[in-house]
Amino acid sequence: MSDNKRVTDEEALLLHSSGRPGKLEITPTKPLTTQRDLALAYSPGVAVPCLRIAEDPSLAYDYTAKGNLVAIISNGTAVLGLGDLGALAGKPVMEGKAVLFKRFADVDGIDLEVDTRDVDEFVNCVRFLGPTFGGINLEDIKAPDCFIIEERLRELLDIPVFHDDQHGTAIIAAAGLINACDITGRNLKDIKMVVNGAGAAGIACAELFCTVGVSRENITLCDTKGVVYRGRTDGMNQWKSAFATDTDRRTLVEAVAGADVFVGLSAKGAMTQEMVKSMAPKPIIFALANPDPEITPEEVKAVRGDAIVATGRSDYPNQVNNVLGFPYLFRGALDVRATTINETMKVAAAKAIAALAREDVPDEVDAAYSGRRLRYGPEYIIPVPFDPRLIVTIPAAVAQAAMESGVARKPIVDLSAYRHTLRTRLDPTADSLELILEKVRTNPRRVVFAEGEEERTIRAAMSFRSAGYGTPVLIGREEVIKEQLAAMGQPNVTFEIHNARLSDANRRYSDHLYRRLQRKGALLRDCQRMVNQDRNVFAACMVAQGDAHAMVTGLTRSFGVAFEEVRRVIDAKASEPVFGLHLFITRNRTVFIADTTVHVRPDGATLADIAVGAAAKARQMGHEPRVALLSFSNFGQTPHPNTDPIREALAILDSRRVDFEYDGEMSADVALDYQLMKRVYPFSRLNGPANVLIMPGLHSANISAKLLSKMASGQMIGPLLIGLDKPAQIVSMGSSVNDIVTAAALAAHDSLPW
C-alpha cells in the first residue's frame, strides 16, 4: 500500500538540487526599482522606523517582518528517524519545515542550524537572536536536551518558543484521542493508557493527555528498558520520573494487557498482535512510529475488528500529522503577538481539530478521498491535511485562547473579521489541486504517455506511478525505452510498452479512425499509416477505444501539430468548445487565462462558451469565478470592430443568466486592480478583482501566458485542454518532468466519473 507513495532517492535529490538549490529564497515585499524606492527602503528612509522602534520596541511588529517571521532552529541531534546527523545534514528538514509554514499558514520561516551539542551554547545562541523573530520553532533536538532548551528559552524570551517534535505530535494525538474516546463511549479520566516511547514526543503526549483530562495515575510509560515504575533507577530522568507509577508490571506486554489505549512513539514492531488481543474491548491504538508504525492497521484489524487505529502515515486513515498543528498554532500566536504558546493554547488547538472532524466534510474534500468515507467515526477521527477549513478553525481558536489566558499583546477585537482574513490569506488553488490529485490516488487510472522514448517522459511515468496516480503506458520501441532506462541508472524498472507499428490493436484502431475520417478524404491505408506511424494518433485511439483512461503528449511537437493529431481521433464534447486554459499562481492569488491554445479569433458565441467553461474550471479549483472579457478598450471607450465580439459575448452571457460574475469589455489593469475599477468604473458588475481572464484572441492569450511564465514570480500550470470528449493533455515542448506528471494526473482526473 505504501510503496506507491514513496519517492526514489534520485527524485528527491533532483528536486532539492534542480534550478536554485534548496527550497527557499528571499523576495522583497516592496518595490525597489527606482532610486526613490531605495531611498525609502534603505538610506536615508530606513532611519525613521529605526528611531521609532528605539523609542517603542513593539513598533518592530509594525515596521518590520518580525510579526510574521518564525525561526526554525535545530542542532541536528535527532533528525527525523535518522538520529544524530549533525546541524548541516539537518538543514533540508528545516528548509522543508519553512516551506510547510508558508504553504499552510502564510508564515515566513527561516531555518537556523546551530552547530553545537552543548545545551548552554545552544541556548545562548538562540536567546541573542530572539529580537529578530516573532516566534521560535525548535526542531529535531534529542531528548532530554530538548526539554531543557525549550524550558530555558521560554523563560528568557518574550516570544513563543515551541518544540514541535514534542507538542505538535501531542496536539494532533490529543485531538484524535478525544474523538476516539467519544466514539467508543469512554470518559478520558477513566481510560487506562500505555505510552510506549519516553522521548520528546512520548513525554509531551502524556503531559497533554493529562491536561485534556486523562488521569496521570492511569498512564503507564514504557521505554526500551520496560515500564517506568517508582523506584526504577536505570535510564531515568526527571521527565520520566513524573510518570513513574506504583505497579508490579515490568514489560510492555504486561502493561498493555487490559489497557484501553496504546500510544506508540517508539519503533516498528514494538506492538504485536498478541498484545492487541490482550487489550480491553474497542481498543484505541495510536501506532505513530515513522516511517513504519509499531503495528500496521491491517495487522490490528486481523485480530481486533473493534479497534480504532491511527498512524503517522498518509496512506492509512487517521493520520497523526504535525502539519495539522504547528503552522496554524503559530499563525494564531503571531496574529495576537503572543508572548508564549501555553497549555491553554495547545488544548484549544487540539479541541478545535477534534471538533472539525465531527463537522460535515466539504464536498471537494470528500470527493478527493472517495476511496474512503470521510464521516466522523472509527476511520475518521482526525481531519485530513488538505481540509481548507483548517486555516480558519485552528488559528482562531488559538488566538482566542491566547487572549483568554492573558498572553496576547495585541488582542483581536472582531473574531468574525479575523476568520474572514484567515479565509482569504491563502490562495485555494494549492489545496484544490492536492484534492484533485488525492482523488486520482484513490481512483488510479491508466494514462498513455505518447512520447515514451523521451527521457523526460520516462521520468514522468516513473513519478506518476510512484505518486500512486495509476499505471503509465508508454508508446515507443521497447529496446529504445530499455536503453534509456539503463542510461538513467534504472535498468530494472519495467513499464507497459506499446509499439504502435507492432501492436495487435492496430486493425481495431485503424477501423475506428477510418470510420471517423472516410468522409474527410482519408483512405483506409491513410488511417493505417497514421495508426502505425503516429504515436499521438495511436495513443488517442487507445483512449477512444477504452484501452486507457487518458493520454499526455507535447514534448516533441508543437501544440498545434499535436492538437490536430489528437483531434483526428477525439471529438469535442457536445455543445462545448475546446480551448486551452492556463493557471498563473502567485503567493495568494490565482488567475485563469483563456483561450491560450485553440481559437485564433473567436466570435462572440465562442467567447461566451469559453467564459462558461473557464468559470466552471475555476470553481472546480476552489475559486468563485469573477470573469473579465478583456480588450484594449474599457466599456466602449474606444469603439472598434475588434471589440464587437466581446460585447456580443457579454450579451449572450446576459441572456443565459449564468451563475457567476462577469463583465467587459475591459483592459487587464482594470480587471486585476479592483480599486482602480471601482474608482474609474463604479458601475462594473464585478465585486472584486477578476480571476478569470477571457482573452479576445489567441495572440494576446498565448503571449500573455508565456510572458508571465518566464518573467513574473509565480507558478504557471497549463495549458489545460478543456472540452474534449475523452481526456487528453498537451504539454509545451519545454515542460519539466513535474509539468508532465501534473498534466497526466489532471488528465486522469478528467476521466473520473462525476
Side-chain angles (χ1 to χ4, degrees):
M1 189 173 188
S2 61
D3 291 342
N4 285 338
K5 301 292 181 181
R6 296 179 187 273
V7 298
T8 65
D9 292 354
E10 184 181 40
E11 286 177 311
L13 293 173
L14 183 64
L15 181 141
H16 285 81
S17 63
S18 61
R20 189 174 295 192
K23 300 187 283 288
L24 300 172
E25 67 175 354
I26 293 175
T27 302
T29 60
K30 302 294 186 293
L32 299 171
T33 53
T34 68
Q35 180 59 42
R36 177 172 172 76
D37 292 338
L38 295 175
L40 287 168
Y42 196 56
S43 183
V46 74
V48 181
C50 288
L51 293 171
R52 295 289 188 276
I53 293 169
E55 296 170 1
D56 180 359
S58 70
L59 291 176
Y61 287 92
D62 297 318
Y63 298 131
T64 76
K66 176 183 173 75
N68 198 51
L69 190 61
V70 168
I72 302 143
I73 307 181
S74 177
N75 62 2
T77 53
V79 179
L80 300 176
L82 305 174
D84 187 348
L85 300 184
L88 189 59
K91 183 174 174 64
V93 179
M94 304 312 121
E95 284 190 1
K97 201 67 177 283
V99 171
L100 295 178
F101 266 114
K102 193 66 178 178
R103 163 65 180 82
F104 288 100
D106 193 28
V107 171
D108 295 318
I110 187 74
D111 63 295
L112 297 174
E113 290 72 40
V114 180
D115 192 13
T116 181
R117 289 168 174 77
D118 184 273
V119 168
D120 292 332
E121 290 180 345
F122 189 101
V123 169
N124 278 330
C125 175
V126 176
R127 69 179 291 197
F128 294 125
L129 293 171
T132 307
F133 304 103
I136 289 174
N137 184 110
L138 300 173
E139 190 79 13
D140 290 356
I141 303 169
K142 70 177 183 179
D145 294 0
C146 59
F147 302 124
I148 302 169
I149 289 169
E150 184 187 44
E151 185 176 334
R152 288 175 57 181
L153 286 174
R154 289 182 66 179
E155 293 172 354
L156 292 167
L157 298 174
D158 64 347
I159 57 175
V161 178
F162 182 84
H163 184 216
D164 186 48
D165 297 317
Q166 296 179 58
H167 310 300
T169 301
I171 289 168
I172 315 307
L177 179 66
I178 291 168
N179 282 342
C181 287
D182 176 69
I183 291 166
T184 57
R186 290 182 167 97
N187 191 312
L188 284 167
K189 67 182 179 61
D190 297 327
I191 61 173
K192 305 287 187 185
M193 173 185 288
V194 175
V195 176
N196 189 47
I203 296 291
C205 282
E207 289 286 359
L208 193 59
F209 293 158
C210 292
T211 304
V212 298
V214 179
S215 298
R216 186 175 292 264
E217 58 268 24
N218 288 345
I219 297 177
T220 301
L221 181 67
C222 298
D223 60 12
T224 55
K225 300 181 184 300
V227 172
V228 174
Y229 58 90
R230 285 201 176 99
R232 195 183 109 174
T233 57
D234 189 14
M236 293 294 288
N237 56 45
Q238 68 187 79
W239 297 278
K240 291 183 186 180
S241 296
F243 286 93
T245 57
D246 287 320
T247 179
D248 56 0
R249 302 187 184 199
R250 295 294 181 264
T251 67
L252 178 61
V253 173
E254 294 172 348
V256 166
D260 298 294
V261 181
F262 169 84
V263 179
L265 297 130
S266 49
K268 176 184 178 181
M271 186 73 162
T272 67
Q273 289 180 315
E274 290 303 314
M275 294 160 68
V276 172
K277 289 180 185 179
S278 73
M279 293 181 69
K282 297 181 181 179
I284 299 167
I285 298 171
F286 286 10
L288 306 182
N290 261 323
D292 298 304
E294 285 82 358
I295 187 168
T296 67
E298 294 96 334
E299 291 170 326
V300 172
K301 296 297 184 183
V303 295
R304 292 295 295 268
D306 60 341
I308 292 179
V309 186
T311 71
R313 290 264 288 270
S314 63
D315 50 344
Y316 291 119
N318 299 328
Q319 183 191 15
V320 176
N321 188 335
N322 285 20
V323 81
L324 291 170
F326 70 85
Y328 311 113
L329 190 71
F330 270 97
R331 178 75 276 152
L334 291 171
D335 289 341
V336 295
R337 298 182 187 173
T339 57
T340 188
I341 292 175
N342 56 28
E343 291 300 299
T344 303
M345 295 159 73
K346 289 187 281 185
V347 170
K351 289 183 176 179
I353 295 168
L356 187 60
R358 303 186 192 194
E359 294 180 10
D360 186 50
V361 179
D363 290 343
E364 63 270 23
V365 178
D366 206 22
Y369 292 85
S370 56
R372 292 160 41 193
R373 180 172 172 79
L374 297 188
R375 296 293 182 270
Y376 182 56
E379 297 286 294
Y380 181 67
I381 61 173
I382 305 169
V384 292
F386 289 94
D387 191 320
R389 300 170 297 173
L390 292 165
I391 182 62
V392 177
T393 303
I394 304 172
V398 170
Q400 186 165 3
M403 292 186 287
E404 291 174 353
S405 59
V407 298
R409 286 178 289 199
K410 185 187 177 185
I412 295 170
V413 176
D414 187 343
L415 277 171
S416 178
Y418 176 55
R419 291 187 181 94
H420 176 73
T421 301
L422 292 169
R423 192 175 291 110
T424 59
R425 188 156 197 133
L426 295 176
D427 186 277
T429 301
D431 281 340
S432 299
L433 184 59
E434 181 57 32
L435 291 173
I436 285 172
L437 299 181
E438 184 61 34
K439 186 172 182 180
V440 176
R441 290 189 192 102
T442 58
N443 299 272
R445 315 304 273 171
R446 283 172 56 82
V447 175
V448 184
F449 290 73
E451 298 154 311
E453 295 179 1
E454 299 298 311
E455 180 183 344
R456 275 179 293 166
T457 299
I458 295 171
R459 291 187 182 279
M462 293 169 60
S463 296
F464 181 89
R465 183 166 62 189
S466 66
Y469 299 143
T471 302
V473 179
L474 300 185
I475 307 302
R477 292 165 292 179
E478 186 172 1
E479 64 276 13
V480 174
I481 293 172
K482 287 183 175 180
E483 287 173 5
Q484 285 278 31
L485 285 165
M488 291 160 50
Q490 303 288 340
N492 298 320
V493 173
T494 59
F495 288 105
E496 179 181 336
I497 300 171
H498 290 261
N499 186 327
R501 188 181 296 275
L502 304 177
S503 172
D504 293 338
N506 277 9
R507 176 63 180 272
R508 179 160 51 94
Y509 294 167
S510 298
D511 289 345
H512 171 75
L513 189 60
Y514 183 52
R515 286 192 297 272
R516 291 177 52 81
L517 302 182
Q518 59 190 212
R519 293 184 179 274
K520 297 181 180 180
L523 301 175
L524 177 59
R525 62 174 176 267
D526 297 325
C527 295
Q528 290 170 336
R529 184 175 62 254
M530 282 186 273
V531 169
N532 289 342
Q533 297 180 7
D534 193 306
R535 292 170 187 171
N536 285 335
V537 171
F538 185 90
C541 284
M542 287 192 73
V543 177
Q545 288 287 288
D547 296 334
H549 295 107
M551 67 169 286
V552 62
T553 188
L555 283 184
T556 61
R557 299 181 188 181
S558 68
F559 183 94
V561 171
F563 179 69
E564 181 182 350
E565 291 165 347
V566 170
R567 288 287 278 118
R568 289 174 184 163
V569 184
I570 300 176
D571 288 323
K573 292 179 181 177
S575 304
E576 293 187 27
V578 178
F579 65 94
L581 182 70
H582 275 82
L583 287 69
F584 183 63
I585 305 169
T586 61
R587 186 169 68 92
N588 56 5
R589 187 177 189 179
T590 291
V591 175
F592 299 80
I593 307 171
D595 164 28
T596 53
T597 57
V598 179
H599 299 278
V600 177
R601 292 290 297 274
D603 58 21
T606 302
L607 284 172
D609 288 340
I610 291 170
V612 172
K617 178 59 72 171
R619 189 166 277 157
Q620 183 193 69
M621 299 294 290
H623 296 262
E624 188 54 38
R626 290 186 296 274
V627 177
L629 292 97
L630 295 191
S631 174
F632 62 86
S633 173
N634 285 296
F635 305 106
Q637 190 177 53
T638 309
H640 191 278
N642 286 345
T643 65
D644 290 344
I646 301 168
R647 287 194 290 274
E648 181 186 345
L650 193 70
I652 292 171
L653 292 173
D654 288 343
S655 67
R656 292 185 185 178
R657 298 185 179 181
V658 296
D659 63 346
F660 54 84
E661 294 180 26
Y662 60 92
D663 210 348
E665 83 267 22
M666 65 175 70
S667 59
D669 57 336
V670 172
L672 296 172
D673 186 341
Y674 186 59
Q675 297 305 316
L676 173 63
M677 185 192 306
K678 299 313 288 183
R679 185 172 69 250
V680 183
Y681 306 103
F683 54 83
S684 172
R685 303 171 179 177
L686 300 185
N687 291 311
N691 54 13
V692 179
L693 306 181
I694 306 302
M695 297 292 188
L698 187 58
H699 282 82
S700 56
N702 195 275
I703 290 169
S704 297
K706 290 182 177 178
L707 273 174
L708 283 171
S709 70
K710 295 300 181 183
M711 298 188 67
S713 176
Q715 179 188 3
M716 185 69 78
I717 296 177
L720 304 183
L721 199 53
I722 311 293
L724 286 178
D725 189 47
K726 299 286 185 180
Q729 292 297 337
I730 303 173
V731 300
S732 61
M733 296 175 71
S735 293
S736 67
V737 169
N738 190 57
D739 293 334
I740 303 167
V741 175
T742 300
L746 291 172
H749 181 263
D750 287 341
S751 73
L752 293 172
W754 290 89

